[in-house]
Amino acid sequence: MLKDDPRISSSLEKLINSIKDSEIYHNYVEASEAVSKVPGLQERIDEYRRNNFLIQQNHEGGELLQKVEDFELNTAAFRAEPLVDKYLCAERDFVKLKQDIDNRMLAELEFSIPSGF
């Protein structure tokens, strides 16, 4: 589809290059590379992220708050590891950047998303 419109393809390439040149992306890549040098650390981070995701998806209201609080207490030592914290913060910032880009495009292009999605 992109190959059919060279202007869009070119603009997308510029956007990707801008992201790659950003401090946010550089921080994420640096943290990711550091994590990959510690055997088993990426797997531990992935497990942390998976468990956090499952809590967020499977609970609501007061139960969610309690589960999140318990999770944070149980994982505080892991999250306090400097490399883990650096990676998770860098990942959060990169994901937020991507969400901001997606949201801006949706708002500017008047793309309608049905309720519940």
Side-chain angles (χ1 to χ4, degrees):
M1 183 76 59
L2 286 174
K3 64 184 175 191
D4 296 335
D5 191 328
R7 290 179 316 144
I8 293 175
S9 184
S10 174
S11 296
L12 180 58
E13 189 68 32
K14 288 177 186 175
L15 175 61
I16 290 168
N17 287 332
S18 294
I19 292 168
K20 286 181 176 180
D21 288 340
S22 73
E23 182 179 354
I24 289 171
Y25 186 72
H26 283 270
N27 290 342
Y28 173 72
V29 169
E30 179 184 302
S32 185
E33 289 172 352
V35 164
S36 71
K37 294 177 182 174
V38 179
L41 185 55
Q42 185 65 58
E43 291 79 7
R44 291 174 52 213
I45 289 172
D46 290 346
E47 181 180 352
Y48 168 90
R49 293 166 58 232
R50 186 173 23 263
N51 290 336
N52 187 34
F53 175 80
L54 290 172
I55 289 169
Q56 301 289 331
Q57 294 299 308
N58 294 319
H59 304 283
E60 296 179 351
E63 182 184 23
L64 173 60
L65 294 175
Q66 185 61 52
K67 293 287 186 180
V68 168
E69 186 177 307
D70 292 345
F71 180 74
E72 288 175 355
L73 286 171
N74 291 333
T75 59
F78 176 67
R79 183 62 203 254
E81 293 179 29
L83 187 52
V84 171
D85 185 61
K86 181 178 180 179
Y87 175 85
L88 291 172
C89 288
E91 179 188 56
R92 177 203 59 217
D93 293 345
F94 180 59
V95 168
K96 178 73 170 116
L97 174 64
K98 185 185 173 312
Q99 289 172 336
D100 289 349
I101 292 167
D102 291 344
N103 290 337
R104 173 82 186 271
M105 286 193 334
L106 287 174
E108 295 291 327
L109 298 172
E110 300 179 25
F111 183 74
S112 175
I113 299 176
S115 297
F117 285 93

